[in-house]
Amino acid sequence: AEFITATPNIAEVIEHACRTCYKSHHLVKDGSAERLFNQIVKQSHHDSVCEHGSITMYLTIDRAVLAQLTRHRIGFAYSVESQRYCNYSKAKFGNEVTFIQPADLKEGTYAFDAWVWAMEDAESWYFTLLEEGIKPETARSVLPNSTKCELTITGNIRAWRHFFQLRAGGHAQIDIQNLCKLIHE
């Protein structure tokens, strides 16, 4: 996870939006934006003002995590590496398909070995299809959920908060929990 940018003076922007609701701009002072923002975070019933601030991240994840992430549509924008146009047999991809190891598969176990063999087979069949003249958009059909993808994601603060509430806890799949931790840091 790589931080790209955030709304400049995000706390002040959110304070301005909040104070518009109550016509209380006269209460703006040094440090008031941070205090007000912290109050809003604690009282999630008035967090619509958090939609005025956004954060953009650049992520490298697998397709399984991408499927979970993109279920959060409201308040987010996504630009995702296209398997339709990206041909992993090219030099700019290292002439290989990159896979991301699921967090709960431990090296040295039969389960891990089976996963590695499956990834090797998928890559081999993908390259075979390309060698047969099949376009990447069709050859991608043999690639698994562990295939790496990169994306740029922008979300407003309210959307990020909701994402963390749903995906950072113990009920969520471990790989998306780990992503939450990286983004939060």
Side-chain angles (χ1 to χ4, degrees), residues 10-183:
I10 198 164
E12 288 86 1
V13 169
I14 292 171
E15 178 184 31
H16 187 276
C18 187
R19 297 210 180 276
T20 298
C21 298
Y22 303 103
K23 292 301 289 171
S24 61
H25 290 102
H26 63 281
L27 297 176
V28 172
K29 298 178 176 55
D30 284 342
S32 64
E34 289 77 16
R35 284 191 301 278
L36 184 57
F37 180 76
N38 289 331
Q39 181 180 351
I40 291 166
V41 168
K42 290 177 188 168
Q43 305 171 348
S44 63
H45 66 276
H46 189 60
D47 60 352
S48 64
V49 295
C50 293
E51 295 173 10
H52 293 282
S54 67
I55 296 174
T56 300
M57 303 288 297
Y58 182 74
L59 307 176
T60 301
I61 57 179
D62 68 20
R63 292 279 167 167
V65 171
L66 175 66
Q68 295 175 72
L69 183 62
T70 56
R71 291 178 67 105
H72 301 272
R73 296 299 303 173
I74 298 173
F76 285 104
Y78 303 94
S79 296
V80 181
E81 176 182 330
S82 172
Q83 286 183 329
R84 180 176 183 201
Y85 295 107
C86 292
N87 182 335
Y88 300 116
S89 70
K90 302 294 183 190
K92 71 179 179 180
F93 297 102
N95 307 98
E96 65 183 7
V97 180
T98 302
F99 302 103
I100 296 180
Q101 176 184 337
D104 56 353
L105 283 181
K106 304 301 177 211
E107 292 186 37
T109 65
Y110 183 74
F112 175 78
D113 291 342
W115 176 80
V116 169
W117 297 327
M119 298 308 104
E120 289 171 346
D121 282 350
E123 180 182 58
S124 176
W125 286 116
Y126 173 78
F127 287 137
T128 297
L129 291 171
L130 292 176
E131 289 166 7
E132 291 296 313
I134 301 300
K135 293 179 181 179
E137 67 186 41
T138 302
R140 68 183 168 168
S141 66
V142 300
L143 296 176
N145 277 336
S146 291
T147 306
K148 179 228 30 125
C149 69
E150 298 173 18
L151 71 141
T152 299
I153 177 173
T154 301
N156 69 54
I157 302 303
R158 186 181 200 182
W160 280 115
R161 290 186 63 215
H162 186 249
F163 169 73
F164 290 132
Q165 289 167 351
L166 294 179
R167 300 296 181 160
H171 62 282
Q173 191 241 359
I174 189 69
D175 292 316
I176 197 123
Q177 286 183 52
N178 290 342
L179 177 64
C180 283
K181 291 174 190 169
L182 284 172
I183 293 171

